[in-house]
């Protein structure tokens, strides 16, 4: 830690405690979605030797974020760690990230030991390398249930989720012998077949790195969510950035499209 960081640390802690003290716990979101963006740009800005170094910083931050959410008893968080579109990147970029993800999945049970949290994955996991699929499955098996839910989106695309939901709904209607399949497809039926059908829709979506778009994240579920677009890259995301996002959320009047 540098001289400047040491000097401002007490101020940072004071501000952090003030945010926590003034946070309206009764108005906190039930479900937070997070787009963890900016790893590669962070690596370039910090002069790191490679992207994998940045990925490791980001995944350490991810574990911290899970603790922050658990401390505030947020019932559900959904974290987008890899998009389906990302799979088009060259192997020399993806393989180091896959390695870091597998390290993360092995670490999470120990890191969250004692926390009442269950973990589940969503997305087109069949498109991922077998070793990564096995690592994700092991994590689900080690943390199957909990009062609070962590959902990890891997090889995930919002449009693909809606397509899969419609396909599943049509298949169920056909199996039931429904004559007018098209007439039975409605919003409730599609919602009931989404990957996150057992979760409330996200109240708040946080995206780091200064990008102000969803990029397909939870397209259906986020129709009435509030958004927090944070300027810092994900590896540099701080507790006070999280608390500010929550504070701003609690001060908003939600209109649900009205």
């Amino acid at each position: 830690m540098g001289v400047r960081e040491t000097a401002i640390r007490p101020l940072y802690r004071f501000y952090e405690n003030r945010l926590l003290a003034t946070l309206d716990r009764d108005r906190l979101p039930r479900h937070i979605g997070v787009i963890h963006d900016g790893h590669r740009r962070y690596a370039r800005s910090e002069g790191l030797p490679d992207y994998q170094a940045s990925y490791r910083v980001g995944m350490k931050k991810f574990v911290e974020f899970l603790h922050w959410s658990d401390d505030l008893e947020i019932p559900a968080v959904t974290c987008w760690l890899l998009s389906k579109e990302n799979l088009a990147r060259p192997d020399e970029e993806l393989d180091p990230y896959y390695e870091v993800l597998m390290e993360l999945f092995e670490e999470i049970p120990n890191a969250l030991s004692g926390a009442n949290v269950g973990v589940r994955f969503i997305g087109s996991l069949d498109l991922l390398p077998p070793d990564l699929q096995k690592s994700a499955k092991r994590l689900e098996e080690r943390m199957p249930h909990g009062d609070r839910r962590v959902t990890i989106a891997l090889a995930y695309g919002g449009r693909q989720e809606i397509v899969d939901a419609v396909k599943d709904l049509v298949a169920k209607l056909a199996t039931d012998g429904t004559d007018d399949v098209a007439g039975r497809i409605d919003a409730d039926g599609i919602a009931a077949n989404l990957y996150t059908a057992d979760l409330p829709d996200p109240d708040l979506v946080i995206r780091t790195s200064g990008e102000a778009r969803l990029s397909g994240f939870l397209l259906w579920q986020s129709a009435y969510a509030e958004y927090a677009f944070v300027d810092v890259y994900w590896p540099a995301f701080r507790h006070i950035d999280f608390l500010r996002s929550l504070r701003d959320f609690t001060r908003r009047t939600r209109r649900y499209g009205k």
Side-chain angles (χ1 to χ4, degrees):
M1 184 179 294
V3 174
R4 181 177 181 275
E5 289 80 3
T6 301
I8 67 173
R9 191 71 183 175
L11 294 175
Y12 174 92
R13 181 63 63 188
F14 173 80
Y15 183 43
E16 185 179 55
N17 289 336
R18 182 175 177 81
L19 284 169
L20 278 168
T22 58
L23 198 61
D24 187 346
R25 306 297 179 98
D26 294 332
R27 294 176 59 86
L28 289 175
R30 298 175 302 157
H31 183 183
I32 300 174
V34 187
I35 304 173
H36 307 261
D37 195 20
H39 287 90
R40 296 186 300 170
R41 280 169 286 169
Y42 176 81
R44 292 192 292 268
S45 70
E46 296 297 310
L48 297 181
D50 50 42
Y51 290 151
Q52 191 175 56
S54 180
Y55 297 149
R56 286 202 166 95
V57 176
M59 293 308 102
K60 180 179 179 181
K61 185 67 63 174
F62 175 77
V63 172
E64 290 180 17
F65 170 79
L66 296 184
H67 283 295
W68 300 339
S69 301
D70 189 55
D71 289 343
L72 291 172
E73 299 183 343
I74 303 296
V77 295
T78 297
C79 302
W80 198 9
L81 296 187
L82 182 69
S83 74
K84 190 176 179 183
E85 290 74 20
N86 289 155
L87 300 181
R89 290 178 178 173
D91 290 344
E92 56 265 27
E93 287 190 22
L94 288 172
D95 289 345
Y97 188 50
Y98 293 155
E99 182 179 332
V100 172
L101 286 176
M102 287 188 285
E103 293 172 1
L104 171 70
F105 299 160
E106 290 302 314
E107 178 187 354
I108 284 177
N110 293 329
L112 296 184
S113 177
N116 191 7
V117 175
V119 177
R120 187 161 73 82
F121 287 83
I122 60 172
S124 302
L125 273 71
D126 57 304
L127 300 178
L128 298 172
D131 286 349
L132 182 54
Q133 292 183 47
K134 291 176 184 177
S135 180
K137 183 175 177 59
R138 281 197 300 271
L139 177 54
E140 286 186 326
E141 291 172 346
R142 293 175 68 183
M143 302 183 70
H145 305 295
D147 289 342
R148 289 183 284 283
R149 167 79 70 79
V150 172
T151 302
I152 299 175
L154 282 186
Y156 170 87
R159 290 179 175 177
Q160 186 63 53
E161 179 180 16
I162 295 171
V163 169
D164 289 345
V166 173
K167 285 182 176 179
D168 289 346
L169 175 57
V170 169
K172 290 175 183 176
L173 292 172
T175 300
D176 292 342
T178 302
D179 293 330
D180 182 16
V181 172
R184 293 285 303 279
I185 296 175
D186 57 19
D188 289 341
I190 294 173
N193 285 277
L194 294 170
Y195 302 155
T196 60
D198 58 337
L199 292 174
D201 287 343
D203 302 297
L204 173 65
V205 175
I206 300 171
R207 180 170 187 157
T208 58
S209 85
E211 301 291 347
R213 62 180 184 273
L214 282 181
S215 299
F217 181 57
L218 300 180
L219 281 175
W220 183 284
Q221 301 94 319
S222 297
Y224 300 116
E226 302 292 326
Y227 301 101
F229 298 113
V230 184
D231 288 339
V232 300
Y233 302 132
W234 173 253
F237 188 71
R238 302 165 300 174
H239 194 201
I240 60 172
D241 297 314
F242 180 52
L243 294 176
R244 282 171 176 165
S245 298
L246 294 177
R247 178 200 61 191
D248 293 347
F249 171 84
T250 63
R251 293 177 176 178
R252 295 177 187 176
T253 300
R254 303 187 68 194
R255 301 186 184 278
Y256 299 94
K258 298 177 181 177

